[in-house]
Amino acid sequence: MLIIGPPGSGKGTQAERISERLGVVAISTGDIFRANVKSETPLGVEAKKYMDAGDFVPDSVTNKMVRDRLGESDVEDGFLLDGYPRTTAQVDYLDEILADGNQRLDVVVQLTADDEELVARLLVRAKETGRSDDNEVVIRHRLDLYHEQTEVVVAKYAERGILARVDGIGIIDEITERAIQAHQSLVFP
Ligand code: AMP
């Protein structure tokens, strides 16, 4: 399963909750990058330059990291990827990884929310967590990238008939329920 949504749409929160309900591991590329930045690994030092500007970390770095992570044994019974793929090139790469591992995607959940609501939420998060990429200029740039590059990713999965659009505004529990129901209706139609 994949969860895709603009910055601030609650992907991380929902990924944790949905993965618990489904009994699969949640993998967030943003979290892996942030952990590497924190411990100052070479990957983290490289990724930080892009993250602080709100840019995508280059595919050459991101794709390898995802391939390595999906090679670990805890993904054998399924996984929920949060924040990947974000570009059509990453979609193609993920297709290759999955084909190599005889795996397939069941469901792609897209969390939707209005841009101004997202900016407002992220400015609150900036105060609470001090994330270095949560300032207004960077937030708007991340939203632009989502519209320019990630919405075409969503369209690809819609064409494949595995996309569920879920309203990301509302009570956290209710959004989780909507996502679980969308998952069930695609997996057990
Ligand atoms: P997130 O926590 O998902 O908002 O990701 C935080 C930042 O990590 C993004 O703004 C990017 O700089 C980087 N990042 C996460 N996932 C990807 C990805 N699939 N491709 C490129 N960069 C990514």
Side-chain angles (χ1 to χ4, degrees), residues 105-171:
L105 290 176
D106 290 325
V107 179
V108 177
V109 167
Q110 180 194 24
L111 288 180
T112 60
D114 170 76
D115 275 11
E116 293 314 310
E117 167 83 23
L118 294 168
V119 172
R121 276 193 195 180
L122 286 169
L123 289 174
V124 172
R125 184 168 84 184
K127 287 208 186 82
E128 288 168 359
T129 67
R131 242 178 81 161
S132 58
D133 55 353
D134 280 347
N135 67 71
E136 186 157 356
V137 172
V138 172
I139 288 168
R140 291 207 181 267
H141 179 55
R142 284 157 59 209
L143 272 171
D144 288 344
L145 278 184
Y146 178 79
H147 293 308
E148 286 162 15
Q149 307 222 25
T150 309
E151 277 174 354
V152 287
V153 167
V154 173
K156 274 188 171 248
Y157 292 122
E159 272 169 31
R160 294 184 193 180
I162 56 171
L163 182 74
R165 284 199 176 84
V166 170
D167 184 356
I169 302 292
I171 295 164

Side-chain angles (χ1 to χ4, degrees), residues 11 29-30 33-34 51 55-57 62 83-84 86 90 131 133 142:
K11 280 183 298 153
T29 45
F33 282 133
R34 278 184 290 277
M51 294 171 79
D55 286 324
F56 289 158
V57 178
T62 308
Y84 182 95
R86 272 165 144 102
Q90 292 181 4
R131 242 178 81 161
D133 55 353
R142 284 157 59 209

Side-chain angles (χ1 to χ4, degrees), residues 63-75:
N63 286 342
K64 181 177 183 312
M65 181 178 91
V66 172
R67 185 181 276 279
D68 289 347
R69 182 64 188 86
L70 293 183
E72 288 177 30
S73 57
D74 61 347
V75 304

